[in-house]
Structure formats: C-alpha cells, structure tokens
Amino acid sequence: MNKRNIISFLTGTALLFSMPACTNLDETVYDNVPADSFGYTDSEISVLVGTVYKTLKNYPADGNFLALDVMSGSDAVTPTRKGGDWYDGGQYREIYMHTWTSQTSVIKGAWSTASKAIGTCNANLKVVESSDFLSDEQMSLYTSEIRGIRAFWIYKMMDDWGNVPLVTDYADKELPTCQPRQTVFDWLITEVTEIAETCPGRENGYAKFTKGAAYTLLAKLYLNAEAWGVSCNNAYQMAAQCCDKVMAMGYILEPDYKANFSLTNESSREAILAAPFSETDTDKDNRWQLMNRTLHYKDQLALSNSVSAWNGVCAQPEYVKLFSDDDPRKEATFLIGQMYNASTGEPLETDHGFLLNHTIDVTMLAGTEYDGTTWGAVNQHDGARCHKWPYSTTLTDAMGNDFHVFRYADVLLMKAEALLRSGGSASEAASLVNQVRERAFGDSNHNYATVTLDDILLERRLELSWEMHNRQDDIRFGVYEKGLWAASNCVRKTDAYLKLFPISQDAYQSNDKLTQNPGYPAFAK
C-alpha cells in the first residue's frame, strides 16, 4: 500500500462515517452504533478499521504524550520563554520538576486521548464482530488489527497511570472502576498473545498492527514487568524470545539512519508500527505539528518553509552532550547553532536583539522566577531543537513524515537488555548493540568489546531520542528522578509514587468510581 492509499484509508474514507459511539472510558457508554445498517460491505469495514488506525495519529500529534513520555524524563523540556511564552499555568514546569497534579493539563489531555481511542476501538470492534458477510479469515484479521491497536492504548494507559479502567465490551454500560496494574498487565499478555499470529505479516503491513507489532508490544510488556512491580515468571527471557520472533520476520536496520525519519520514511523496512501523516492533514487532533512546538518563530527563514512556529520544546542540555561530536546522530537529531536567512545568507536575529543561535545550554534568566519557585524564563533562542524528522520546504501546517511507534533498532536494544538482565549471553548482547552503533557511525571503530546496562541506556538515548520511549526507559534504568538540565537548579521530586501519573481530575468528574493513585490527594467526594 503506497502512502497516498494509506492516508486515504486512514482519513479520507473515514469521512463517510461518523461513529456516534462511546469515546471516553470516563463517560456513560452509548448504545447507538448503527450495527444494523453499517458494516455490511468491504468499504464500510475498511472505514471501521481505518478509523481505529487513525487514533494512533493522536499519539505523537496532540502533544500530550510528548510531554508525559519525553519531558518528564531526561530527553526534552519546554522552558518558559522570555516574555512568558509556554508558561501555560506552570504545567511544563510541573512536568520537568515532577510536581504535577490531577489538574495538570497535559495529564488530563493524555488520559482523554487514550480513553477516547479505546472507546473507538471497542465501538468499531462490536460492529465488525456483528458483520455476517465476512469470511472467518477476514473476521480474524480485522478483529485482530482492532484489538491490537486497542491493546496499544491500554498498554500506554497502564504504563503512565498503572491502575486504570479495563473496558473491552462496548455494550457494558456500567461506569468502570480502576483495575490494579497486575490485572491490566495479565490481560494484555493474554490478549496480545492471542491475536499475535492472526495479525497481518510484515509484507504489505506498513501502518498496520502486524505480527511484528504484536511481538514488539509483548517484548515491551515483559521487559518492563519488574519496573512496573507486576509478577511475571521469566519476564526477561520472555522478552528476549519475543524479540527473537521479530528478528526472524525480515525487518532490517536501514543502512541510512535518517531513512527512518525522512519525508518518504514509509519505505523504511525498519518500521514495525507506524502512524502515517500527510502535509494535507487538517484535523486539529491528527495533524503532526512538531515543527511548531520546537522551532523558533524565525527558523522558517533558515529552513525555507512557511511554518508559523511556536518556539517551545528543546532538548535538555546534558542529554545533547551525551552525543559525541563524531556521532552522525547528533546532527541528525538536533538543530543547533546560528541560523541564517536561506535567501540572503544573513544571520538571523530574534526580536529581542540576540542572534538566533540555538545553543545547547539553556540558561534561566535571573529575576524571572515564577510562583515562588526556582523556575524562570530563558531566552527565545536557547536550546537544541528537534530536527530528527526533516522539515520539508513545502511545509506549512502539517508534517508529512510518518511517526514510527516501534522500529527494529529498538527491538535489538531490548533483546540486548533482556539478555543482560536475565544472565544470558553477554557477547550476543554486545553484538546487538554494535549492530546499532555500526549503522550509526558507518564503521566498527566505535564498537563495544562488552556492554553493561549503562551502555545500553546510553545507546537507547542516542538512538531513540524524541521517539517517546524516554520516560519508560528512565524508570526501568532507575534514573527517572535525574533530569539532564543541571543549570536550571530546578530539583525534581523523587518520591516513588511519581512513577505513576495522577488520574485526571476531569476523568473523575465524569466517573466518580475512579480511585486516585497512591501518593496523590484522594478525589473529594
């Protein structure tokens, strides 16, 4: 399936049908899905499945999970810019300093995004399961795809909040209670194992929930089991076995690292699960506008496009300094240094009279502290900006690069980690890490003779920056409380309960059966 057809499948045909369905785990479930009048043709089934896949675009696009899964770790930060831009009630300060509450906007937004997606999956699954014209093979394939995307969203909720509602029956009209993380974990292992072999294969499976996606998700579940505090026998060995299954499916490390992020990255054989985007996307929740979130207002003059950037998120300084100068991934990941007008060659300046020089260091300005904290403003130009997905010269309002939720390099690094944590082959672990490093550097001169868990954490940071694995990795490696912006003097809270986010206050207002996570103030009755 080419990119144009993928985008049409996910967006264009979906306009034919608007599902008046349950879209939120916090709300009463409605029962007006038109099962008696929809889902009786191939095109209608395609719309139902396509609408489910469309939810995956929200994961990188709406910005909420970018905040939770990248900025709460060591990867990135959204500082307050001189003049007050991006203070936003202090929510990004809260995310960096781990002082969030159930009222923090991005936490509420992420909960809503995930729960709506699960509701869409449940609603559309019911209609597909009620269709009587599908063959057994078609029924198994389509329902496995829908269940796979639903499992991904439930996994994300369990990862970020731990104890969450587990709603899998669209017809269930009872308001859900929070289930223990162990219960949700056990359900996910059973569910994804059950559908894995009936999901599509790698060939012609781009932007679908394939066998590779299923086993990658299982590997992540097993690899994180100990860090999540759930019981699971031989979890690391099981993680390695799931990685082995993916490694036997024909995925490769693309010879060019940048091919995974290019404007035509749908051709990457490294992609395992992808959310496809187009510069013609118009839906506010499904347009990928990373360029607006990270670029300075005038960077478009240097990049020869027409974006209207918001000058927000940048890399945490010490994170950038983890990259050696001879690592090609540094330049491929960050926009650093003086920006020049592409038309005139003149150096660009900010409206505050500074050269538009994206420094790695991000410096708090004395006397700008907010709300009695050490959090202050920084200059507009400070900070290395995300440049991992190149910005096209035709870019205006929506990026056309696809986002690879899972890719093969991650699987190799997970296998290496699982081997070390389970007492497996240290030499195989080193070989797996070295495959990733050789691809990055173009030679074997930077290979490891042996690897430690610290080496694997470093390699994951170098390889997977901005790809929304950072919070999970930092928790698993025991460094979550250590931000990489030392000069900020903004010390993080380190309480163990902060490894889970608080359940959204908005969610509780819709469903008073929800129970707040331990460590946070209980919901007022």
Side-chain angles (χ1 to χ4, degrees), residues 156-205:
K156 280 310 306 172
M157 293 196 77
M158 182 196 67
D159 181 27
D160 286 343
W161 289 277
N163 312 296
V164 296
L166 183 57
V167 179
T168 60
D169 183 359
Y170 179 79
D172 185 355
K173 297 177 176 59
E174 293 293 323
L175 289 174
T177 59
C178 291
Q179 298 299 308
R181 185 181 242 177
Q182 181 74 58
T183 300
V184 182
F185 175 86
D186 291 343
W187 180 87
L188 279 166
I189 292 292
T190 300
E191 176 78 354
V192 181
T193 301
E194 184 175 304
I195 66 171
E197 289 300 321
T198 53
C199 288
R202 183 187 64 79
E203 295 292 338
N204 299 315

Side-chain angles (χ1 to χ4, degrees), residues 388-425:
K388 195 165 194 173
W389 295 267
Y391 307 114
S392 78
T393 56
T394 58
L395 182 59
T396 56
D397 199 43
M399 290 173 59
N401 324 57
D402 294 347
F403 181 85
H404 296 166
V405 180
F406 298 151
R407 61 183 179 93
Y408 187 59
D410 185 10
V411 172
L412 297 181
L413 295 175
M414 286 198 293
K415 171 75 183 293
E417 181 182 343
L419 287 171
L420 291 191
R421 292 189 185 276
S422 63
S425 170

Side-chain angles (χ1 to χ4, degrees), residues 357-375:
N357 178 16
H358 292 309
T359 58
I360 294 173
D361 289 326
V362 181
T363 305
M364 294 278 193
L365 300 174
T368 64
E369 293 80 9
Y370 284 83
D371 298 336
T373 70
T374 55
W375 182 273

Side-chain angles (χ1 to χ4, degrees), residues 95-110:
I95 291 297
Y96 180 78
M97 296 180 69
H98 293 189
T99 58
W100 49 68
T101 73
S102 62
Q103 293 280 23
T104 300
S105 293
V106 289
I107 291 176
K108 295 193 292 185

Side-chain angles (χ1 to χ4, degrees), residues 196 211 418 442 451 472 489 500 514:
K211 292 179 175 68
V451 292
Q472 186 182 91
N489 293 318
L500 296 179
L514 299 178

